[in-house]
C-alpha cells in the first residue's frame, strides 16, 4: 500500500536517473576543489554520455549561478550526442520571458525528439532577494503560460506579473503531445506545495527518514487532491554502493576525510537555495543522525556537511541499496535521481552493480507524451504557414 494515491500506481518500473554536475559539484574528496573535475563542457558531457551507456533513463541538469554550464545551453549541446536518455533540465521561473521560454523549450524538445523533462525552480536570481510568496506566484504564472503554449492555439493570460493576449502558440509547440514535457518540482513551503499540486506532474523530495517522506507525500497529495489531480513522486538522493556494507561505509568516510567544516559551510552558503525550508529539513536530518552521520541504517547525512540542497546518501551493499529502493517504491516513489562522488566513478558502480537488477522506464513514455513519429507541429510535419 503506497503512502498516498499515485498516478503511476500500476507502473512496475522506475525512472532511474543520474546527475550532471553542471554547477561546480564534483569531488574526489568532498569540499576539496579538483581541477580535473571542474564543471566544464567536456567533463559534464562525458557524465551524460556514460549515464546513457550504463542505462540510466534520465539525467538531472541543475541550474545555479556558479562556475559551470548554463543549463539550457548544455542540454542543447547534448541533444546530438545522445539518443535514448531523457534530459531533466532545471528552469528558473522568471529568468526568461515566459513565451520565449516556451519557444526555447519547444526547440529543445524537438532537438531531443521528445526526451525533454523539466525541473521547475523558484529560487532567487543572482543579486536578487525576493519574497518567497512572490517567487511562487511568479512560477505559478510561468507554468500556466507554458501549459497554454503547449496545449492551446493562443496564449491569453491576465496575471499579477504577466499579461498576454491572443499570442499564437505555433512557435512554442513541443515535440511531446498530450500536455508537453513533464514538470518535476521540489519545494517545502505551503506556496510550493500549492504550485506543485495545481500544476506539476512529479513531486521531488530530498532524503529524510521514511516517515518524514510519507508525511511530505501526504501534504502534497492533499493540495493536488484539492485540484482534482493525482501526482507521481520522486526522490533525489546520493548513493554509495559497494560489494559489502563495510566497503561502502569506509568509502563514505574516505569522501569526507579531508573536509574542512568551515569551507563546507562556505559551499553551502553560496547556493541560492541555502536559506530554503528544504535545506533546513536536510540540516535537521543531520542533527538527528548518530555519531557516524546515519539518520537511518543506510541513510548517511555526511554529504550535507559540504553541500546545500540534497544532503544525504544511501550507503550499503548491493542488496541493501536494492532493498532501500524497493521500500521507497512501496511508499509510491516512481522516480529516482541518484548521484555520487566522483560522478563518473559512482555512476559506474551503481550502473554495473544495481541498475541491472532494476526494471526501469521513461515517465514521458509511460504518460503517453512521446509520439511514435514526428508530430504535426510547425517544427515537425505540420503545415507551414
Amino acid at each position: 500500500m503506497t503512502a498516498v494515491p499515485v498516478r503511476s500506481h500500476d507502473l512496475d518500473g522506475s525512472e532511474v536517473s543520474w546527475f550532471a554536475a553542471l554547477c561546480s559539484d564534483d569531488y574526489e574528496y568532498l569540499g576539496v576543489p579538483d581541477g580535473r573535475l571542474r564543471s566544464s563542457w567536456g567533463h559534464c558531457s562525458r557524465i551524460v554520455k556514460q549515464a546513457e551507456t550504463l542505462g540510466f533513463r534520465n539525467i538531472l541538469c541543475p541550474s545555479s549561478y556558479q562556475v559551470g554550464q548554463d543549463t539550457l545551453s548544455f542540454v542543447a549541446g547534448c541533444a546530438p550526442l545522445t539518443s535514448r536518455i531523457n534530459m531533466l533540465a532545471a528552469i528558473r521561473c522568471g529568468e526568461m520571458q515566459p513565451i520565449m521560454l516556451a519557444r526555447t523549450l519547444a526547440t529543445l524538445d524537438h532537438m531531443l525528439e521528445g526526451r525533454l523533462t523539466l525541473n521547475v525552480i523558484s529560487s532567487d536570481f543572482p543579486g536578487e532577494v525576493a519574497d518567497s510568496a512572490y517567487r511562487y506566484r511568479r512560477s505559478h504564472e510561468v507554468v500556466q503560460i507554458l501549459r497554454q503554449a503547449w496545449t492551446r492555439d493562443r496564449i491569453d493570460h491576465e496575471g499579477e506579473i504577466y499579461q498576454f493576449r491572443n499570442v499564437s502558440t505555433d512557435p512554442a509547440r513541443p515535440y511531446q503531445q498530450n500536455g508537453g514535457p513533464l514538470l518535476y518540482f521540489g519545494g517545502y513551503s505551503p506556496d510550493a506545495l500549492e504550485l506543485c499540486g495545481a500544476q506539476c506532474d512529479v513531486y521531488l523530495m530530498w532524503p529524510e527518514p521514511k516517515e518524514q517522506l510519507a508525511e511530505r507525500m501526504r501534504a502534497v497529495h492533499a493540495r493536488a487532491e484539492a485540484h482534482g489531480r493525482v501526482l507521481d513522486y520522486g526522490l533525489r538522493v546520493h548513493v554509495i554502493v559497494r560489494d559489502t556494507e563495510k566497503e561502502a561505509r569506509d568509502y563514505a568516510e574516505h569522501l569526507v576525510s579531508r573536509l574542512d567544516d568551515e569551507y563546507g559551510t562556505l559551499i553551502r552558503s553560496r547556493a541560492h537555495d541555502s536559506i530554503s525550508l528544504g535545506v533546513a529539513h536536510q540540516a535537521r536530518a543531520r542533527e538527528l543522525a548518530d555519531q557516524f552521520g546515519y539518520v537511518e541504517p543506510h541513510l548517511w547525512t555526511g554529504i550535507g556537511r559540504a553541500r546545500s540542497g540534497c544532503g544525504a546518501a544511501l550507503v550499503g551493499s548491493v542488496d541493501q541499496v536494492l532493498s532501500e529502493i524497493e521500500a521507497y517504491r512501496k511508499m509510491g516513489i516512481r522516480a529516482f535521481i541518484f548521484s555520487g562522488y566522483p560522478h563518473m566513478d559512482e555512476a559506474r558502480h551503481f550502473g554495473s552493480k544495481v541498475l541491472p537488477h532494476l526494471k526501469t522506464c521513461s515517465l514521458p513514455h509511460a504518460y503517453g507524451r512521446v509520439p511514435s513519429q514526428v508530430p504535426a507541429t510547425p517544427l515537425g510535419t505540420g503545415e507551414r504557414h
Side-chain angles (χ1 to χ4, degrees):
M1 176 70 101
T2 57
V4 296
V6 298
R7 178 166 177 173
S8 298
H9 61 89
D10 58 351
L11 187 66
D12 61 354
S14 303
E15 184 175 76
V16 181
S17 309
W18 198 247
F19 177 82
L22 304 188
C23 46
S24 195
D25 185 37
D26 206 358
Y27 298 95
E28 181 174 355
Y29 294 94
L30 199 63
V32 181
D34 185 338
R36 297 177 303 111
L37 302 175
R38 72 179 74 245
S39 293
S40 64
W41 160 252
H43 179 60
C44 294
S45 62
R46 283 192 292 273
I47 294 173
V48 173
K49 289 187 286 186
Q50 177 176 261
E52 180 174 71
T53 298
L54 290 167
F56 290 95
R57 302 305 298 270
N58 203 349
I59 188 157
L60 174 59
C61 301
S63 172
S64 179
Y65 189 66
Q66 295 185 34
V67 176
Q69 305 294 302
D70 169 71
T71 308
L72 299 184
S73 302
F74 178 81
V75 170
C78 286
L81 303 182
T82 58
S83 60
R84 298 182 306 279
I85 196 168
N86 297 337
M87 305 290 292
L88 178 52
I91 52 171
R92 198 173 297 273
C93 291
E95 194 172 60
M96 187 184 297
Q97 196 262 16
I99 296 176
M100 297 303 289
L101 174 63
R103 187 186 72 164
T104 298
L105 298 176
T107 301
L108 288 174
D109 198 34
H110 278 271
M111 292 172 69
L112 289 160
E113 297 183 333
R115 293 185 287 117
L116 181 67
T117 53
L118 299 171
N119 184 23
V120 175
I121 304 292
S122 296
S123 300
D124 284 327
F125 304 142
E128 173 195 69
V129 179
D131 177 70
S132 174
Y134 170 80
R135 287 190 284 103
Y136 282 111
R137 287 197 302 273
R138 180 173 62 192
S139 295
H140 197 95
E141 291 193 28
V142 170
V143 174
Q144 286 178 319
I145 293 163
L146 291 178
R147 287 203 174 279
Q148 285 195 34
W150 297 338
T151 61
R152 301 184 185 180
D153 294 328
R154 317 294 295 183
I155 297 173
D156 287 288
H157 179 83
E158 188 67 35
E160 172 191 346
I161 300 164
Y162 301 106
Q163 299 85 37
F164 304 111
R165 290 185 178 87
N166 200 32
V167 181
S168 170
T169 60
D170 277 359
R173 293 290 181 88
Y175 189 97
Q176 292 177 70
Q177 303 296 293
N178 306 319
L182 293 185
L183 301 178
Y184 297 61
F185 178 87
Y188 283 60
S189 70
D191 292 318
L193 301 192
E194 173 63 18
L195 170 60
C196 188
Q199 298 283 0
C200 300
D201 301 296
V202 182
Y203 180 69
L204 291 176
M205 300 174 287
W206 286 334
E208 296 182 83
K210 293 182 181 65
E211 183 48 43
Q212 274 72 61
L213 293 180
E215 288 179 9
R216 189 133 330 273
M217 293 169 72
R218 288 190 284 267
V220 175
H221 174 69
R223 295 314 312 144
E225 189 176 39
H227 294 279
R229 306 181 70 236
V230 177
L231 307 183
D232 274 321
Y233 296 85
L235 181 66
R236 164 83 182 98
V237 62
H238 305 283
V239 65
I240 298 172
V241 61
R242 296 294 184 271
D243 292 331
T244 67
E245 180 179 15
K246 183 179 184 307
E247 288 176 292
R249 282 183 168 243
D250 286 349
Y251 185 78
E253 291 304 314
H254 162 85
L255 190 60
V256 294
S257 62
R258 299 185 184 179
L259 175 61
D260 176 84
D261 279 318
E262 286 189 10
Y263 188 68
T265 300
L266 175 65
I267 292 174
R268 294 200 307 272
S269 65
R270 71 190 183 191
H272 279 102
D273 62 0
S274 62
I275 59 173
S276 73
L277 188 57
V279 170
H281 278 259
Q282 294 294 280
R284 178 61 176 158
R286 289 197 301 278
E287 292 171 1
L288 295 173
D290 65 19
Q291 62 178 321
F292 303 107
Y294 288 84
V295 70
E296 287 183 335
H298 301 291
L299 188 61
W300 177 64
T301 64
I303 283 176
R305 291 169 56 194
R307 191 185 195 282
S308 185
C310 175
L314 292 179
V315 177
S317 68
V318 174
D319 287 343
Q320 289 167 338
V321 169
L322 284 168
S323 294
E324 290 294 312
I325 293 171
E326 182 57 28
Y328 290 129
R329 273 193 50 83
K330 288 179 179 178
M331 292 174 60
I333 293 172
R334 294 292 179 265
F336 296 90
I337 303 173
F338 295 110
S339 59
Y341 298 99
H343 292 290
M344 291 282 284
D345 294 346
E346 208 59 48
R348 280 192 291 268
H349 282 292
F350 188 94
S352 62
K353 299 175 185 296
V354 177
L355 202 51
H357 300 286
L358 298 174
K359 184 168 184 179
T360 65
C361 68
S362 158
L363 284 183
H365 287 82
Y367 275 55
R369 298 290 176 93
V370 185
S372 58
Q373 55 190 10
V374 179
T377 65
L379 289 178
T381 60
E383 181 181 354
R384 183 178 178 187
H385 300 297

